[in-house]
Amino acid sequence: MNRSAISLGKPASTALVLVACALLGACASVPPSPATPASTAAAPTEKRSVAPSELPSGTMETLHELIDSHQLTELRTTYNGTYGASLLFQSEKLGYFVVLFHAKEFWRVIQTDSYDNAESLYRTFAEQTQSLAKVDLDALRLQAQKAYAERMVALNEQRLQALQHDLTYQQQQARLVAAQQAQAKQQTATLSDDLRTASSRLDAVKQHIQLLEAQQKNPSLEIPPVAPDPGTGGVAATAASSSTAAAPGATN
């Protein structure tokens, strides 16, 4: 695990510094017990197992150095959103570091020499990451659902506009077709009247043709009488009448 994956944030480091200073101040204010023998004070202290404890700021820097020098082995790591828990092992000192981090920044670090304690702490931190990340994961999922819904709204609005455009076009075409149909019907009625008139004229012309053809096919010769000319016919008739009337007198 690299240092960027787990690094202590400034708020956590400051809090740990304040806790350490408070503990040191409390110890300095307690006076030594007068009943304590000098031999007891000089006696060597017994080696005790290190109980799980949150690391002071100085040890946090040591942890960074161990990470940078690759002296820690990552045994387990759990990620839940931006939260994570890691179990680190220092083989040189048989020690364990259990880390809870958020956004790749240290949040809590606990050191222990007991593997069972380390496993228990790791499981606790892992469960905490799951509960802590639930809100973030829900927000992430809801944000994705909102973005998807907005995309669907935009697509359906485009589809709606396209359908409205198609419907408007269809209505315009329907009105145009209706006008063309009315015009065609009127034109049909006019053409029907013209056809009837033309048919009547055709029948009359055919009858006339048939009459003329019948006359041409008649073999009898008919000469129509010549009508007298009103200008010359009267004079000739008068002259003829006069000559006819004068003829008997001459004979006598």
Side-chain angles (χ1 to χ4, degrees):
M1 173 177 294
N2 54 23
R3 183 173 178 175
S4 61
I6 359 179
S7 60
L8 180 63
K10 291 183 178 180
S13 178
T14 304
L16 290 175
V17 171
L18 294 176
V19 171
C21 292
L23 291 175
L24 291 175
C27 293
S29 61
V30 178
S33 175
T36 303
S39 59
T40 305
T45 56
E46 296 180 358
K47 184 177 180 181
R48 296 179 301 173
S49 60
V50 180
S53 60
E54 293 190 13
L55 297 177
S57 59
T59 310
M60 190 70 69
E61 293 299 327
T62 303
L63 179 60
H64 287 313
E65 294 176 359
L66 293 175
I67 293 174
D68 292 338
S69 60
H70 305 285
Q71 297 185 37
L72 295 178
T73 302
E74 181 180 357
L75 299 182
R76 302 179 188 276
T77 296
T78 297
Y79 284 97
N80 280 292
T82 57
Y83 297 89
S86 292
L87 176 58
L88 307 176
F89 177 59
Q90 186 182 10
S91 59
E92 183 179 352
K93 295 184 179 181
L94 300 179
Y96 300 90
F97 296 88
V98 186
V99 182
L100 176 66
F101 56 90
H102 174 232
K104 297 183 179 181
E105 296 290 338
F106 281 161
W107 185 1
R108 297 186 64 191
V109 178
I110 299 178
Q111 181 184 9
T112 180
D113 292 339
S114 171
Y115 175 74
D116 294 335
N117 287 337
E119 283 285 348
S120 177
L121 290 168
Y122 172 75
R123 287 192 297 270
T124 301
F125 280 178
E127 292 175 357
Q128 289 178 0
T129 61
Q130 184 175 1
S131 60
L132 290 170
K134 184 178 183 302
V135 177
D136 293 343
L137 296 179
D138 290 343
L140 180 64
R141 186 177 65 256
L142 292 174
Q143 184 178 3
Q145 292 176 353
K146 176 186 175 183
Y148 177 80
E150 290 177 350
R151 290 196 302 270
M152 291 300 100
V153 168
L155 291 176
N156 283 278
E157 286 180 348
Q158 293 178 357
R159 178 61 178 167
L160 177 61
Q161 292 178 358
L163 291 175
Q164 289 177 345
H165 180 270
D166 292 343
L167 180 61
T168 302
Y169 177 78
Q170 292 174 4
Q171 291 174 349
Q172 292 176 352
Q173 291 298 314
R175 288 192 293 269
L176 179 61
V177 169
Q180 292 177 349
Q181 288 287 317
Q183 184 179 1
K185 287 181 180 179
Q186 183 178 2
Q187 186 177 5
T188 300
T190 303
L191 291 175
S192 297
D193 294 340
D194 293 343
L195 178 60
R196 286 192 294 270
T197 302
S199 297
S200 299
R201 291 179 59 189
L202 178 61
D203 292 340
V205 171
K206 285 182 177 180
Q207 290 178 1
H208 194 190
I209 290 174
Q210 290 176 358
L211 180 60
L212 292 179
E213 288 178 346
Q215 291 178 359
Q216 289 179 357
K217 293 178 180 179
N218 187 4
S220 60
L221 181 62
E222 295 181 2
I223 300 176
V226 179
D229 188 359
T232 59
V235 175
T238 303
S241 299
S242 300
S243 60
T244 303
T251 302
N252 296 327

